[in-house]
Amino acid sequence: MTRRNHNAYRTVLTLLATLFVFLALTPASRADGAKQAFSARSIEGRWGFSGEFGMIVPPAAAQPAPTAAIGIVVFDGKGGCTVTSITNVNGTIAGPLTSHTCTYSVNADGTGTSVAEFAGQPPATVAFVIVDRNREIRFINTNAIVAGFTAKRQ
């Protein structure tokens, strides 16, 4: 084999190896089968969450105020939930506070919404998406708090 043929042979092998690795790592080539439809049962269980920084904005507060929170949410698999959280609003700690009502719904595509009510507070409303094979949920507040947070299975 000449040096020129040897270099061409190595180039072709390198390209084929690269293509093989690319195809092996793409989701379409995995043996996962068809994507499952999500449901309320998809997130059943206990989750720890944290939101490192957000802002409460008017009209919920006279002036914008920074906020952060951590806590636990338990989804019952049937559309009911319980949230227990500790919040920091502008340096003032509140909690742990536990919701007295909480509901959620999950769409087949893994998105959903939830509403939790705490004594003396307006309802806390969120939208979410289930990610990482049902091991993580990413949320955004949909009321007067501009914030996002993440929950992970415990």
Side-chain angles (χ1 to χ4, degrees):
M1 185 180 295
T2 67
R3 184 168 181 81
R4 184 175 174 194
N5 287 343
H6 183 69
N7 285 340
Y9 181 71
R10 278 191 4 203
T11 302
V12 169
L13 282 179
T14 301
L15 289 172
L16 287 174
T18 303
L19 178 62
F20 176 78
V21 169
F22 175 77
L23 290 175
L25 295 177
T26 58
S29 69
R30 291 187 187 151
D32 290 335
K35 295 283 184 191
Q36 70 175 14
F38 291 91
S39 70
R41 291 185 59 197
S42 300
I43 58 175
E44 181 177 3
R46 185 179 171 101
W47 298 74
F49 68 85
S50 65
E52 284 74 31
F53 180 77
M55 273 298 202
I56 299 176
V57 295
Q63 298 291 325
T67 183
I70 61 168
I72 304 292
V73 59
V74 179
F75 296 103
D76 68 5
K78 301 172 191 167
C81 47
T82 303
V83 178
T84 301
S85 66
I86 298 171
T87 60
N88 178 332
V89 178
N90 206 23
T92 301
I93 305 298
L97 302 172
T98 300
S99 61
H100 61 83
T101 65
C102 182
T103 59
Y104 71 100
S105 63
V106 177
N107 302 314
D109 66 358
T111 60
T113 59
S114 180
V115 177
E117 295 185 12
F118 297 86
Q121 302 293 321
T125 60
V126 297
F128 61 83
V129 62
I130 304 164
V131 297
D132 195 19
R133 298 179 186 243
N134 296 6
R135 292 183 293 230
E136 184 173 293
I137 307 171
R138 296 185 184 167
F139 296 85
I140 61 166
N141 291 81
T142 56
N143 55 6
I145 300 173
V146 180
F149 57 100
T150 302
K152 294 194 179 225
R153 282 195 187 273
Q154 289 194 308

